[in-house]
Amino acid sequence: MMDENRENRNREKVLAVGYSVRHIVCSGFRAGYEMYAADAFGDVDTKRCAKRYIALEPLSNLYREIGAMDGIILGSGMENANFLFEKRDMEKIWGNPIETVKRVSNKAWLATQLDDLNVPHPYTCSCIRTVEELKEGRLKLKLRYPVVVKPIYGGGGTMNKLCWNDKELTRFANRDFICQEYIRGRHASVSTLSTGKEVVSVAVNEQLIGLDSLHAPGSFSYCGNITPFHPVSRLAEQMCEIAEFLTLKFGLKGSNGFDFVISADDSQPFLIEVNPRFQGSLDTVELSTGLNIVDGTIKAVRKSILPERITTHRYAVKLILYAERDMVVKRDLDGGISIGGIADIPAKGTVIRSGQPIASCIGVGDKRATAVAAAMEHLALLKSGVSPLPSPK
């Protein structure tokens, strides 16, 4: 007999909308919700787990779908999406309201808040102000090269650049970019669940950033995660304390992520960004802890219920392979619904342009090395399934 809660969930129609929503849709599907998907990719596994797939462009495709939904989950790239929703539909968003997402995703706003709250973070200023100071010869020595330049909005790190001199920095004399102190060290993140009044850290994750072995298009491109962060230490506790404090301070609800860089001497975690939405680490967090993050978010937001006890049972690894040049998928990469394997699966014949993600490879194991080895096996399989696009004659 079907579980009563699962039966009730099946009556609830949930639309996940964002740049990429496969992880959200498949998590909700596993929890028993009737999932609908709208993103920029339309991957094989997204469509398999969704009752219906709607192409994100044109946005007019969404208008008639939103009204029929019981709930809406926002993914990445939706910071300025208020125009999509009628006022009555705003209440259907299960997570942070769009206004909150836009405010907290603004890296310039975040830096001023962290200054006021004395939370360790890179020194940050607007690019336009920095360039004006350069031209006037009065740049203070708070920033020393190299510096990181990044857009005020946007995740994934693909547009983040390292500038080594005045000439490079001057190219970013734009109000839409910020300039940050560059901190060398290890990358990590904390995933939280919150009711808005209470919060719990779900996992601390190792972040994989700018890996040449995965053909990352930039030095700061997001290439995946390993959960849990190893070794677990006082640094993990510090990061959790900061994440939980800011979750409540900013009034965040549902699933939220906090990105850190740990200084090279392992003395201090610096907060880099806050993602007031579902994160790419969802896959490894779920596989490591056994939690369902979509179900946990909906319970937190709608019923003010948080998980009582969270432990990591194993290691989980996610590797994102990028296209080194224009590529084409030459065979079926879909292995069905399973633990580990290839995810974000492009259909056979899909053309993937240089610098774009091809797919994700996931591995699990009792040890970190075992999980990495499993993910690498899937990576080899993925690489064998794509080939460079033939040059036009």
Side-chain angles (χ1 to χ4, degrees):
M1 180 180 294
M2 182 177 286
D3 177 82
E4 183 180 351
N5 288 333
R6 183 179 176 87
E7 186 176 359
N8 287 337
R9 291 175 198 154
N10 282 337
R11 297 177 187 147
E12 294 183 300
K13 299 178 179 180
V14 183
L15 171 66
V17 55
Y19 179 65
S20 177
V21 298
R22 185 274 313 163
H23 55 316
I24 301 171
V25 170
C26 293
S27 175
F29 173 81
R30 289 191 293 269
Y33 295 94
E34 185 174 288
M35 299 299 297
Y36 294 75
D39 75 359
F41 292 95
D43 290 325
V44 171
D45 36 354
T46 303
K47 292 180 177 178
R48 184 178 60 227
C49 292
K51 179 77 172 179
R52 184 182 305 133
Y53 174 78
I54 308 108
L56 195 57
E57 295 290 346
L59 291 172
S60 57
N61 289 340
L62 289 174
Y63 294 137
R64 58 180 174 272
E65 301 289 344
I66 289 172
M69 295 295 130
D70 297 304
I72 299 165
I73 293 177
L74 301 179
S76 59
M78 301 305 292
E79 296 88 358
N80 297 294
N82 353 20
F83 65 91
L84 276 177
F85 304 98
E86 300 286 344
K87 187 175 182 180
R88 65 177 182 274
D89 293 324
M90 291 290 191
E91 296 179 359
K92 295 181 180 180
I93 295 175
W94 291 344
N96 295 305
I98 292 178
E99 294 79 7
T100 301
V101 173
K102 183 174 183 179
R103 182 175 69 253
V104 178
S105 298
N106 184 317
K107 300 178 185 70
W109 176 89
L110 178 64
T112 62
Q113 296 299 306
L114 299 179
D115 283 338
D116 292 343
L117 296 169
N118 293 317
V119 173
H121 69 104
Y123 174 76
T124 304
C125 57
S126 72
C127 270
I128 193 165
R129 193 185 79 189
T130 303
V131 170
E132 285 174 352
E133 289 188 355
L134 275 174
K135 291 178 178 177
E136 295 175 13
R138 56 185 179 85
L139 181 63
K140 298 176 182 177
L141 295 179
K142 290 182 178 179
L143 279 177
R144 296 186 180 181
Y145 292 113
V147 297
V148 182
V149 171
K150 59 179 67 173
I152 289 176
Y153 289 105
T158 302
M159 294 184 68
N160 297 3
K161 304 296 180 185
L162 205 58
C163 292
W164 293 85
N165 53 53
D166 293 358
K167 183 178 179 180
E168 290 182 2
L169 182 59
T170 303
R171 288 185 296 157
F172 294 91
N174 188 314
R175 295 185 186 276
D176 296 329
F177 282 81
I178 60 167
C179 183
Q180 273 188 341
E181 170 190 9
Y182 176 47
I183 298 175
R184 293 176 173 83
R186 292 188 291 159
H187 296 267
S189 69
V190 175
S191 306
T192 67
L193 281 175
S194 173
T195 65
K197 295 182 179 179
E198 294 182 291
V199 59
V200 61
S201 292
V202 174
V204 182
N205 317 291
E206 180 180 341
Q207 281 198 320
L208 305 176
I209 304 295
L211 299 184
D212 290 338
S213 59
L214 296 174
H215 308 310
S219 301
F220 300 96
S221 297
Y222 170 69
C223 294
N225 289 93
I226 302 176
T227 305
F229 176 82
H230 181 80
V232 176
S233 64
R234 60 176 179 79
L235 292 171
E237 293 176 2
Q238 279 182 265
M239 289 187 287
C240 288
E241 288 175 1
I242 292 170
E244 292 172 10
F245 167 70
L246 292 177
T247 297
L248 297 180
K249 186 69 177 178
F250 296 157
L252 301 179
K253 297 180 180 180
S255 177
N256 297 279
F258 299 79
D259 294 347
F260 292 86
V261 171
I262 298 169
S263 58
D265 62 359
D266 279 353
S267 64
Q268 178 70 62
F270 293 85
L271 183 70
I272 303 299
E273 295 178 14
V274 178
N275 296 305
R277 52 165 174 78
F278 284 83
Q279 309 96 60
S281 57
L282 180 150
D283 296 302
T284 60
V285 170
E286 288 195 341
L287 287 169
S288 180
T289 65
L291 289 174
N292 185 284
I293 300 300
V294 166
D295 193 41
T297 292
I298 293 172
K299 286 178 178 176
V301 173
R302 300 180 70 195
K303 300 179 180 179
S304 296
I305 297 174
L306 291 176
E308 291 184 4
R309 189 167 180 268
I310 303 168
T311 57
T312 53
H313 304 289
R314 56 187 172 183
Y315 283 89
V317 176
K318 175 180 178 179
L319 307 175
I320 301 172
L321 179 66
Y322 289 86
E324 189 175 16
R325 58 182 66 87
D326 289 352
M327 309 289 285
V328 62
V329 180
K330 62 184 182 181
R331 61 178 174 80
D332 183 9
L333 297 169
D334 187 13
I337 301 174
S338 62
I339 296 176
I342 298 174
D344 305 307
I345 304 165
K348 181 180 178 180
T350 300
V351 172
I352 301 167
R353 297 301 176 186
S354 176
Q356 294 298 304
I358 299 174
S360 302
C361 300
I362 297 173
V364 296
D366 294 334
K367 298 180 180 179
R368 183 183 183 279
T370 307
V372 170
M376 292 297 290
E377 287 183 14
H378 298 307
L379 181 64
L381 183 64
L382 173 59
K383 287 181 176 180
S384 71
V386 297
S387 60
L389 194 66
S391 301
K393 294 182 180 179

